[in-house]
Amino acid sequence: MKKLHIVGLGLLGGSFGLAAKNKFPEILITGTDASEKNLQDALNLGIIQESKDAPDADTDIVILATPADTLGDLLSKTLDQIGENTLVFDVGSTKAKLCALAAGHPKRKQYLAAHPIAGTEYSGPKAAFAGLLDRKVLIVCELEQTDLQLKEKAYELFDALNLKLRFMDPEEHDRHLAFVSHLSHISSFMLGKTVLQKMEDEKNIFDMAGSGFASTVRLAKSSPAMWSPIFTENKDNILSALDGYISNLTAFRDKISASDGQGLSDDMAEINKIGDILDLEK
Amino acid sequence: MKKLHIVGLGLLGGSFGLAAKNKFPEILITGTDASEKNLQDALNLGIIQESKDAPDADTDIVILATPADTLGDLLSKTLDQIGENTLVFDVGSTKAKLCALAAGHPKRKQYLAAHPIAGTEYSGPKAAFAGLLDRKVLIVCELEQTDLQLKEKAYELFDALNLKLRFMDPEEHDRHLAFVSHLSHISSFMLGKTVLQKMEDEKNIFDMAGSGFASTVRLAKSSPAMWSPIFTENKDNILSALDGYISNLTAFRDKISASDGQGLSDDMAEINKIGDILDLEK
């Protein structure tokens, strides 16, 4: 692992850079970002050592870490640019469209579709930190489509970063993520919106917000530039998750309206099981 | 502060007991719980020193920490029982009905309506800990209705426990809390429900759940015995909050459905302001 190139030097791209430099001190990391300020910050923070628009021909791995709706064009362009011993992987939150697009490219074997289940509500190079990816799950799709030797390169990086690999097909990935990630962000954003609207009438409402509110609304600080494309790219799955959510909320609302204490209690007791499931998964 | 009596030895009642014993080592804390097991646990954990159905006549303060729908009857009964130098306060999450009921009692001046903004998703005596209340907000309603000397007793305890007092009328309390606490719990429970339903078709869905999901779904582990009464007691305010939430979700859903990336992005940028507000409140 001698040379890495990162396109998109935000929270994820930046954290890959910092962690890779920690594990491979001799590595040269080049990279670029659509924002001149992000690029400068990334240089100052040591995320990359050199600003470069395109990867050198002898680059081992190129990481694409830009918003979901830009990854298609970027992947095509990058595959066109790279030398024959370079692997490209992206870290986007949606995988089906990207894999379908990659399928038609003559250099498909040099691409690996990946998605690290890691993030915070903050964004940009300054939010990046070397520990973000440590012991996190990395979902890999269509592994069989990637060249065997190039895969070994990717494994070398993933192992060094303590990523735990999980394999699934891209459609399954997008279906699951709509429920366990994208829906959480929407519920949190809309919770934030609802309370902000109420605040227009009621001053000091946040004085009363405890840790429960803080944790459910945390994701409402997330980056619109990152999330808007995810919501539209994974539209069908998200609409299905969101419709289920709204329908559950409406049914629960009706039980409150009917003062059906027992019904509410039974519902919640059933849902409490999620505690055991989440603890088991740790 | 020589004698304290606690009715309801769960997370909140138990934490008051542990913290009071820390700050006043000589204090005698008596108490009771509807559950024989909770009562035994509370004795074993040192939350109370003595099991007692009713407070002694020389008890300084009685804390009522049972589910919201039981507090009305319990408050009436307790006011009937106590000596003339005893103050009673409750720690319930809804205040309007309780204050209206207390207004008619001849011993109204011996009651203080309180609500500590503190809790976790766990319940019962074993979930209690001395630090739970430290530096938390305590909302106090209708302070002017409470006897001056008895108020001093309450302040002695609140100050020792580092509680930060905020004053408001009971209706305002219930309106605010519907938005910044009760709605969070409902959104979290329904998120848990929606994902559990999906899990029936999709195995291993939780493998992909990151920290964002964990934080938004954390409250879905909360106690049905505590929350069902809150939802029905504060019904009107909660329905108003919930209707606003569902309407925001539906509008956001329609923007996703229309692939209106710019509209989604503008919405989220506006909601991002909540980050600044929450940070300021810390």
Side-chain angles (χ1 to χ4, degrees), chain A residues 26-228:
Chain A
E26 306 297 315
I27 205 168
L28 172 68
I29 309 184
T30 63
T32 187
D33 195 287
S35 146
E36 186 57 40
K37 181 175 183 317
N38 280 0
L39 184 56
Q40 205 52 55
D41 284 345
L43 280 163
N44 294 341
L45 294 163
I47 287 171
I48 58 170
Q49 284 77 57
E50 215 174 288
S51 157
K52 199 161 266 194
D53 285 341
D56 293 334
D58 62 345
T59 297
D60 293 294
I61 295 180
V62 178
I63 304 177
L64 307 181
T66 61
D69 59 338
T70 64
L71 284 170
D73 289 348
L74 179 62
L75 175 60
S76 298
K77 191 181 82 174
T78 307
L79 286 174
D80 292 341
Q81 290 171 337
I82 54 174
E84 60 185 14
N85 292 316
T86 303
L87 174 88
V88 183
F89 73 86
D90 79 296
V91 296
S93 297
T94 58
K95 295 263 87 70
K97 277 192 187 178
L98 205 56
C99 284
L101 181 140
H105 199 284
K107 292 189 185 166
R108 171 64 183 86
K109 289 174 70 177
Q110 291 180 251
Y111 167 59
L112 183 80
H115 178 206
I117 305 300
T120 71
E121 66 273 36
Y122 303 108
S123 54
K126 289 180 178 168
F129 59 101
L132 176 69
L133 298 154
D134 189 51
R135 280 170 295 182
K136 298 291 161 56
V137 166
L138 181 81
I139 301 176
V140 172
C141 299
E142 297 188 339
L143 185 68
E144 71 289 354
Q145 302 286 332
T146 307
D147 176 82
L148 199 64
Q149 290 195 323
L150 292 180
K151 245 186 297 210
E152 292 301 324
K153 275 196 196 189
Y155 283 172
E156 190 190 344
L157 180 65
F158 299 157
D159 285 348
L161 269 48
N162 286 326
L163 286 160
K164 301 186 284 184
L165 269 56
R166 298 283 182 277
F167 306 96
M168 67 183 65
D169 72 61
E171 288 74 22
E172 187 187 4
H173 168 277
D174 287 6
R175 263 196 335 264
H176 283 196
L177 266 288
F179 281 81
V180 295
S181 166
H182 308 167
L183 180 59
S184 285
H185 283 79
I186 296 172
S187 81
S188 191
F189 269 111
M190 292 305 106
L191 184 66
K193 179 169 186 153
T194 308
V195 177
L196 284 171
Q197 286 167 334
K198 185 67 177 173
M199 197 184 64
E200 292 172 12
D201 305 321
E202 308 269 353
K203 287 178 189 120
N204 307 323
I205 193 166
F206 289 104
D207 268 3
M208 278 137 288
S211 61
F213 179 70
S215 83
T216 44
V217 90
R218 176 171 72 84
L219 300 177
K221 303 182 211 168
S222 301
S223 156
M226 171 179 172
W227 282 97
S228 176

Side-chain angles (χ1 to χ4, degrees), chain B residues 135-202:
Chain B
R135 280 171 294 180
K136 297 291 162 56
V137 166
L138 181 81
I139 302 176
V140 172
C141 299
E142 296 187 340
L143 185 69
E144 71 288 355
Q145 302 286 333
T146 308
D147 176 84
L148 199 64
Q149 289 195 324
L150 292 180
K151 245 186 296 209
E152 293 301 324
K153 276 197 195 188
Y155 282 172
E156 190 190 345
L157 179 66
F158 298 157
D159 285 348
L161 269 47
N162 286 325
L163 286 160
K164 300 185 286 183
L165 270 56
R166 298 283 181 280
F167 306 96
M168 68 182 65
D169 73 60
E171 288 74 23
E172 188 187 2
H173 168 276
D174 287 7
R175 261 195 336 263
H176 284 196
L177 266 288
F179 281 81
V180 295
S181 167
H182 309 167
L183 180 59
S184 285
H185 283 78
I186 295 171
S187 81
S188 191
F189 269 111
M190 291 306 105
L191 185 66
K193 179 167 185 154
T194 308
V195 178
L196 284 171
Q197 286 166 334
K198 185 67 180 173
M199 197 184 61
E200 293 171 12
D201 305 322
E202 307 270 353

Side-chain angles (χ1 to χ4, degrees), chain B residues 35-267:
Chain B
S35 145
E36 187 55 43
K37 182 175 181 317
N38 280 359
L39 184 55
Q40 205 52 55
D41 285 344
L43 281 163
N44 295 341
L45 294 163
I47 289 171
I48 59 171
Q49 283 77 58
E50 217 175 286
S51 158
K52 198 161 267 194
D53 284 341
D56 292 336
D58 62 345
T59 296
D60 293 293
I61 295 180
V62 178
I63 303 177
L64 308 181
T66 61
D69 59 337
T70 64
L71 283 170
D73 289 349
L74 179 63
L75 175 60
S76 298
K77 192 182 82 176
T78 307
L79 286 173
D80 292 343
Q81 289 170 338
I82 54 173
E84 60 185 15
N85 293 314
T86 302
L87 174 87
V88 183
F89 73 86
D90 79 297
V91 296
S93 297
T94 58
K95 294 265 87 67
K97 278 194 187 176
L98 205 56
C99 284
L101 182 139
H105 199 283
K107 292 190 187 166
R108 172 63 183 87
K109 288 173 70 177
Q110 291 181 252
Y111 167 61
L112 183 80
H115 178 206
I117 306 300
T120 72
E121 67 272 36
Y122 303 108
S123 55
K126 289 181 177 168
F129 59 101
L132 176 68
L133 298 154
D134 189 51
R135 280 171 294 180
K136 297 291 162 56
V137 166
L138 181 81
I139 302 176
V140 172
C141 299
E142 296 187 340
L143 185 69
E144 71 288 355
Q145 302 286 333
T146 308
D147 176 84
L148 199 64
Q149 289 195 324
L150 292 180
K151 245 186 296 209
E152 293 301 324
K153 276 197 195 188
Y155 282 172
E156 190 190 345
L157 179 66
F158 298 157
D159 285 348
L161 269 47
N162 286 325
L163 286 160
K164 300 185 286 183
L165 270 56
R166 298 283 181 280
F167 306 96
M168 68 182 65
D169 73 60
E171 288 74 23
E172 188 187 2
H173 168 276
D174 287 7
R175 261 195 336 263
H176 284 196
L177 266 288
F179 281 81
V180 295
S181 167
H182 309 167
L183 180 59
S184 285
H185 283 78
I186 295 171
S187 81
S188 191
F189 269 111
M190 291 306 105
L191 185 66
K193 179 167 185 154
T194 308
V195 178
L196 284 171
Q197 286 166 334
K198 185 67 180 173
M199 197 184 61
E200 293 171 12
D201 305 322
E202 307 270 353
K203 285 177 191 124
N204 308 322
I205 194 166
F206 289 103
D207 269 3
M208 277 138 290
S211 61
F213 179 71
S215 82
T216 43
V217 88
R218 176 171 72 83
L219 301 177
K221 303 183 211 169
S222 302
S223 157
M226 169 177 174
W227 282 97
S228 178
I230 293 174
F231 296 151
T232 50
E233 291 283 311
N234 199 23
K235 179 160 97 172
D236 293 343
N237 290 308
I238 289 175
L239 289 180
S240 152
L242 201 40
D243 287 345
Y245 184 56
I246 292 172
S247 144
N248 283 329
L249 283 165
T250 305
F252 201 76
R253 181 216 179 279
D254 292 344
K255 284 183 186 163
I256 294 174
S257 177
S259 297
D260 178 9
Q262 190 59 50
L264 294 168
S265 192
D266 292 346
D267 263 16

